[in-house]
Structure formats: structure tokens, C-alpha cells
Amino acid sequence: MRVDLPADWNAVLGTEQTKPYFTRLAEFVDAERALTTVYPPEADVFNAMKTTSFDSTSVLILAQDPYHDDGQAHGLCFSVRPGVPPPPSLVNIFRELNEDLGYKIPDNGCLTPWAERGVLLLNAVLTVRAHQPNSHKGKGWETFTDAAIRALNARAEPVVFVLWGAYARKKAELIDLSRHAIVESAHPSPLSARSGFFGSRPFSKVNAHLRQFGRRPIDWQIPNLG
């Protein structure tokens, strides 16, 4: 597995790559790619950190693992490549964004503009076997991404952590609320969106926290591609 982290992320996570768990993880992912299709493509595995630098991260949105269907995952949680129809959870995210801030629902599901504006779109598990959700769970990725969360938590600049769903909300124990903020709710999945995601107004809450921190609020509008 090729690890091509930018210098700033490598400075805080480089030691993780020397640990036995990461060696086992890399061997596992390589073996999986030799046997079957793994998403996202190898070049995209670390896209969240390549697109949003450690220093520029003002918001972290955490998901569980990448999309597992063909052509969807490209290393940013909840995001799909241009031209790929937005999956149901992303449709619900855009619906809530529209209700919350009145932003137009875009004609695409590519969240790269968010990442470029300081929103780290991080999956807890960075790879998945095609068509088998959670197939790479428990192989070591969680240890690595927990280290990323801890690094942001230890940073002087405050971060707003967005935790949707029971899995993500468990990560609250890693976050020092005396210096950072958490915005949490039910997951945007169709299975739970009506049980606490819709109406939670996460985007305006994030921006309110950022203003309190003296940081620039996020422009959540995704531009149309058509």
C-alpha cells in the first residue's frame, strides 16, 4: 500500500506508519487488492488529507467506511465523483443543507469544494472490498484515523467535529470540549434521517461555533457542474 501523505499530515502521523499494526494493515490491503476490487483506488485512499491540510482543517466530518459500489468512492467521506448520482445519505445531507441555510441542492455529489475550504471529510476506515460494506473494519484503519483525530484535538487551533450516527458519536471521547466543539445527530442514512438528522441544522451550528472561535465560517454551497 502506497502511503503518500502530505508533509504536514506526515509530521503528525508518520510514527503511526512505523508501528506493527500499520504494517499488518498495509499487507492486508495489498492482499485484498491482489484478490479482488478494493475502493477507493489506491491513489485516492488518502485524498481527505491530501485535499485538506492539517493546519487548514477547521471542521472534521467523520463517516464509517467508503462507498462500496462501482465508481463512487474517491477518498472523501460522503462524496462521489462528478457524474456519479449522489447516494441516499448524501441526498439527505443536501436536503438538510437546503432546509438549514437555504443553499441550492447541487447537480452533483462531489464534495471536493468543502474539502478545499477546510472541511476534512474523513472515513474511520479508508478502504473497503467492492460491494461488501465494513469488510475492512477492524483491520487497523480505526487506529490510524483515531490518531488523526487525536492530532487535531491536540492542536492549538480549535476544530468543530461533526459526528453523525452512533458509530461516529463514540469518537466524542477523543475530543476535548474545553477547546473544541462537537455537532452531533442521527446519521443521514434513510434508515435514521427522520429520527434526528432532519431538522438538526448541523451546517449553521458548525458556522456558529467557528464564529465563536474567531474562525472563518464555511461556505457550504457546492457549485453546479452542468
Side-chain angles (χ1 to χ4, degrees):
M1 180 173 67
R2 186 172 75 253
V3 181
D4 51 352
L5 291 175
D8 61 343
W9 278 108
N10 198 61
V12 295
L13 295 176
T15 57
E16 295 299 309
Q17 300 162 48
T18 68
K19 296 179 179 179
Y21 87 85
F22 198 87
T23 300
R24 292 192 297 269
L25 169 64
E27 291 171 349
F28 168 76
V29 174
D30 286 343
E32 284 282 276
R33 289 197 188 276
L35 289 172
T36 188
T37 301
V38 171
Y39 294 128
E42 186 173 43
D44 293 342
V45 169
F46 297 98
N47 267 357
M49 294 168 181
K50 288 193 283 188
T51 311
T52 311
S53 71
F54 179 72
D55 290 336
S56 72
T57 298
S58 58
V59 180
L60 184 152
I61 296 179
L62 184 70
Q64 191 162 358
D65 71 339
Y67 292 129
H68 55 86
D69 284 338
D70 297 338
Q72 293 180 318
H74 65 121
L76 305 179
C77 77
F78 292 112
S79 180
V80 290
R81 295 183 180 283
V84 177
S89 290
L90 184 53
V91 170
N92 288 340
I93 288 169
F94 285 151
R95 173 180 165 182
E96 179 62 19
L97 176 60
N98 174 257
E99 291 290 327
D100 185 1
L101 292 173
Y103 287 3
K104 295 178 181 178
I105 295 174
D107 62 3
N108 69 97
C110 183
L111 303 182
T112 298
W114 287 0
E116 292 172 342
R117 297 167 192 165
V119 182
L120 181 67
L121 297 169
L122 186 67
N123 284 304
V125 176
L126 298 187
T127 56
V128 67
R129 183 182 285 202
H131 315 302
Q132 296 184 34
N134 293 317
S135 50
H136 288 187
K137 180 181 178 182
K139 302 299 183 180
W141 279 126
E142 297 93 335
T143 303
F144 181 76
T145 54
D146 279 0
I149 294 171
R150 288 189 175 96
L152 288 169
N153 181 64
R155 204 184 66 177
E157 286 278 345
V159 176
V160 183
F161 294 86
V162 179
L163 308 178
W164 288 329
Y167 179 88
R169 292 166 94 167
K170 291 177 182 177
K171 304 296 183 179
E173 65 186 25
L174 304 177
I175 300 162
D176 179 358
L177 284 176
S178 70
R179 296 186 298 113
H180 306 286
I182 291 175
V183 171
E184 59 184 320
S185 72
H187 195 276
S189 160
L191 298 174
S192 57
R194 296 185 184 280
S195 302
F197 178 74
F198 288 142
S200 64
R201 302 181 66 85
F203 307 99
S204 58
K205 288 178 180 177
V206 166
N207 281 351
H209 284 301
L210 290 174
R211 290 188 183 97
Q212 289 172 356
F213 292 150
R215 305 203 73 182
R216 183 192 302 272
I218 301 297
D219 174 7
W220 294 104
Q221 182 68 65
I222 297 291
N224 286 337
L225 296 178

